[in-house]
Amino acid sequence: MKYLIQTFGCQMNEHDSEIIAGMLQEMGYQPTTEITQADLVLLNTCCVRETAENKIYGKLGELKHLKRQKPDLLLVVCGCMTQQEQVAEKLAQRAPHVDVIIGTHNTHRLPELLAQARATGKTVIDVWEKEGEIIEDLPTYRQDGIKAYVTIMYGCNNFCSYCIVPYVRGRERSRRLADIVAEVERLAQAGYKEVMLLGQNVNSYGKDLAEKVDFADLLARLDRIPGIKRIRYMTSHPRDFSDKLIEMIASSSKVCEHFHLPIQAGSNAVLKRMNRGYTREYYQELVAKIRHRIPHCSVTTDLIVGFPGESDQDFHDTLELVRNVRFDAAYTFVYSKRSGTPADKMPNQVPLSVKKSRLQQLMHLQNKISREINEALIGQDLEVLVDGESKTNRTKLSGRTRTNKIVIFSGPSDLIGQLVPIRITAAQTWNLIGEWRNDQRS
Ligand code: SAH
Ligand code: SF4
Ligand code: F3S
């Protein structure tokens, strides 16, 4: 029996899919990348923007044909989309060929639900309204042997006014420090070099625990685990980025000098209506403080254009902020209405044509800045953790710097999994090109 998982959305979902894969393999399923070979197809969905949902409906349409040809095929839909109010029921009506619909809080019940669907031949829907206890020790199947995702907390309490995540992922729940340490120690023993700590707002880590620990304490503890060379985290809310955390990162040898700090907008009026809890001045001071303490760091961000009521002046504030801060890179999005969020009901929604034109202007500016920053690295030797073959050119290798920049270079495949110095020879908007020399072997 073979399974195929298709994952949409963020790293959280990617990691959930690794756990789902682990459970399926314990049930005796084997992975396949060929959809026609699969006996079970699972879509792990995202609903953060409408475009994500449209992709999933498109996919469900394709799967309908497949199911017709292969009636025994089991189709499962899980993840954030199904957790929205009434969506599971709508989905069952619109796509009756789906066998199991499961929410975000009860993924561990997948084996039972599959058995139920097989026995009854009916669509099984199991979506829990409330988050349950954190379940530890679920089997996890990681395809990558070098870098591993480790969840440190679930859910989000921030309720940014545009965002669906708190509604579909529940309230903040932190894993116990000892459980995280044990997992990272096991990963180190298995040869992993890098861990990426996951949470919607990692700076809230520990607030809900009985033990008195915060995110900086967690990093300090993980920093001491032998074998792990790099520690990353995603995502940290600028509002909660403490001086203690900056000091901890500055003094650590493993926590990477990459700061992903989503700002979302450059206008204080918009930030306020987004419920982000900081001003542009606060944000710029935070970045200045980080850069002063950790001079060679990179700073990246997320930006939304066309939030309800965003005026031309508001948008120019965003452009100006981007010019001032000079981000290494930015993920830019067009605001997407999400039903059930406060922004959905706000007046003065921005027309799509305006949103698209603002996105173009913003991307144009950011791409220019990214390229300039990358070009300034030409001639430097940077430490690269080699991930594998380059996705765009199989004859080359690809890796990342500590600042999370992709470097593409030629070298022998035994470098994969190693940290090597690479001389940067050319720069593009999204990548660096480098040179590895045999005499640099460490
Ligand atoms: N917890 C993380 C990110 C979660 S979603 C954080 O707070 O940074 C990732 C990004 O998607 C957000 O940073 C935001 O820029 C974008 N996003 C979220 N909701 C959106 C919406 N309704 N429309 C457009 N972009 C959105
Ligand atoms: Fe969404 Fe805001 Fe929570 Fe991030 S912090 S997941 S943007 S509500
Ligand atoms: Fe999408 Fe859910 Fe992540 S909505 S961005 S998959 S938390």
Side-chain angles (χ1 to χ4, degrees):
M1 299 281 265
K2 295 205 163 80
Y3 73 89
L4 185 143
I5 299 178
Q6 239 186 346
T7 309
F8 301 82
C10 65
Q11 287 95 342
M12 299 270 166
N13 257 20
E14 282 178 36
H15 185 46
D16 287 346
S17 290
E18 294 178 331
I19 293 172
I20 293 165
M23 290 193 286
L24 290 173
Q25 294 194 186
E26 278 203 345
M27 292 173 71
Y29 282 93
Q30 292 300 315
T32 177
T33 51
E34 204 28 78
I35 199 152
T36 53
Q37 303 270 308
D39 303 289
L40 185 155
V41 176
L42 181 143
L43 302 183
N44 192 2
T45 64
C46 170
C47 56
V48 76
R49 281 170 292 275
E50 201 183 349
T51 44
E53 287 195 314
N54 291 344
K55 266 193 238 161
I56 291 150
Y57 280 114
K59 203 79 222 165
L60 281 170
E62 286 170 33
L63 289 173
K64 194 178 193 162
H65 299 293
L66 199 67
K67 178 102 178 183
R68 239 183 241 141
Q69 289 159 13
K70 200 173 170 179
D72 282 347
L73 178 71
L74 277 174
L75 291 182
V76 184
V77 183
C78 67
C80 295
M81 187 174 156
T82 62
Q83 190 67 42
Q84 295 172 93
E85 214 158 303
Q86 283 159 15
V87 166
E89 291 74 16
K90 265 190 232 152
L91 208 79
Q93 273 176 9
R94 226 174 123 170
H97 53 295
V98 173
D99 299 283
V100 176
I101 300 175
I102 183 168
T104 57
H105 302 314
N106 52 339
T107 326
H108 58 280
R109 294 202 59 220
L110 180 64
E112 279 168 69
L113 300 174
L114 282 173
Q116 208 177 318
R118 268 211 198 287
T120 62
K122 297 211 174 87
T123 305
V124 177
I125 303 181
D126 193 26
V127 179
W128 295 1
E129 211 175 298
K130 284 241 168 316
E131 57 276 1
E133 292 281 294
I134 293 178
I135 304 198
E136 290 290 341
D137 300 322
L138 287 173
T140 306
Y141 172 66
R142 293 179 168 93
Q143 270 178 308
D144 191 311
I146 303 162
K147 303 192 289 188
Y149 291 131
V150 176
T151 301
I152 64 164
M153 59 183 301
Y154 299 87
C156 181
N157 291 356
N158 284 320
F159 291 95
C160 302
S161 62
Y162 50 81
C163 186
I164 193 85
V165 172
Y167 304 89
V168 296
R169 288 281 179 169
R171 296 294 64 72
E172 289 175 355
R173 287 146 287 149
S174 304
R175 284 178 73 195
R176 290 181 335 124
L177 184 90
D179 291 330
I180 300 170
V181 171
E183 182 173 4
V184 176
E185 278 171 349
R186 279 198 304 274
L187 289 166
Q189 275 153 21
Y192 283 89
K193 299 283 168 35
E194 178 177 309
V195 288
M196 164 73 98
L197 309 177
L198 298 178
Q200 293 298 349
N201 177 15
V202 292
N203 298 328
S204 288
Y205 175 77
K207 283 185 187 160
D208 58 317
L209 289 174
E211 49 185 333
K212 239 178 113 31
V213 280
D214 62 15
F215 183 54
D217 301 329
L218 172 69
L219 287 179
R221 179 63 191 87
L222 298 179
D223 202 52
R224 299 204 302 269
I225 296 178
I228 297 296
K229 308 283 188 209
R230 289 180 171 185
I231 301 172
R232 300 187 188 278
Y233 50 89
M234 191 82 142
T235 303
S236 54
H237 196 299
R239 185 195 57 214
D240 304 324
F241 215 97
S242 67
D243 289 349
K244 176 181 172 188
L245 186 56
I246 298 174
E247 281 313 310
M248 194 281 134
I249 296 171
S251 62
S252 146
S253 57
K254 296 182 181 174
V255 182
C256 290
E257 299 81 14
H258 169 218
F259 296 83
H260 183 65
L261 294 167
I263 180 153
Q264 313 297 3
S267 147
N268 282 338
V270 172
L271 284 171
K272 187 145 198 225
R273 275 182 284 125
M274 285 180 162
N275 192 29
R276 288 293 289 179
Y278 53 80
T279 61
R280 59 185 278 141
E281 291 77 20
Y282 163 89
Y283 185 93
Q284 284 178 281
E285 271 169 41
L286 173 66
V287 171
K289 202 156 57 176
I290 291 171
R291 283 179 169 156
H292 176 73
R293 192 68 184 83
I294 305 165
H296 299 293
C297 69
S298 62
V299 181
T300 58
T301 202
D302 292 351
L303 289 155
I304 298 176
V305 298
F307 184 79
E310 185 187 68
S311 65
D312 280 336
Q313 184 53 50
D314 290 325
F315 176 61
H316 280 103
D317 287 350
T318 295
L319 292 177
E320 190 196 60
L321 180 120
V322 166
R323 257 182 234 115
N324 289 345
V325 175
R326 292 182 67 78
F327 295 104
D328 288 82
Y331 295 94
T332 49
F333 307 105
V334 157
Y335 167 71
S336 172
K337 280 172 77 141
R338 301 287 71 200
S339 145
T341 63
D344 181 34
K345 297 274 181 298
M346 285 182 189
N348 304 320
Q349 297 280 333
V350 177
L352 186 63
S353 59
V354 176
K355 288 188 202 169
K356 283 190 170 163
S357 127
R358 287 181 184 166
L359 185 74
Q360 284 310 315
Q361 286 180 65
L362 180 61
M363 281 168 57
H364 183 77
L365 170 64
Q366 180 53 49
N367 288 350
K368 180 171 158 279
I369 296 170
S370 294
R371 203 185 175 104
E372 285 167 5
I373 295 178
N374 285 346
E375 278 169 352
L377 297 171
I378 294 174
Q380 293 191 20
D381 290 322
L382 301 178
E383 182 201 85
V384 170
L385 175 59
V386 188
D387 298 328
E389 287 168 353
S390 161
K391 287 202 181 75
T392 47
N393 182 345
R394 283 287 164 87
T395 65
K396 305 243 171 172
L397 296 178
S398 162
R400 286 191 189 247
T401 63
R402 288 178 62 95
T403 54
N404 208 33
K405 292 177 191 276
I406 297 173
V407 183
I408 296 167
F409 60 97
S410 297
S413 57
D414 68 339
L415 295 182
I416 294 172
Q418 292 191 42
L419 290 163
V420 290
I422 300 288
R423 169 76 46 92
I424 305 305
T425 55
Q428 299 165 341
T429 309
W430 299 102
N431 300 321
L432 299 168
I433 310 295
E435 209 174 71
W436 172 82
R437 293 202 314 273
N438 205 15
D439 58 2
Q440 288 176 333
R441 229 176 235 280
S442 51

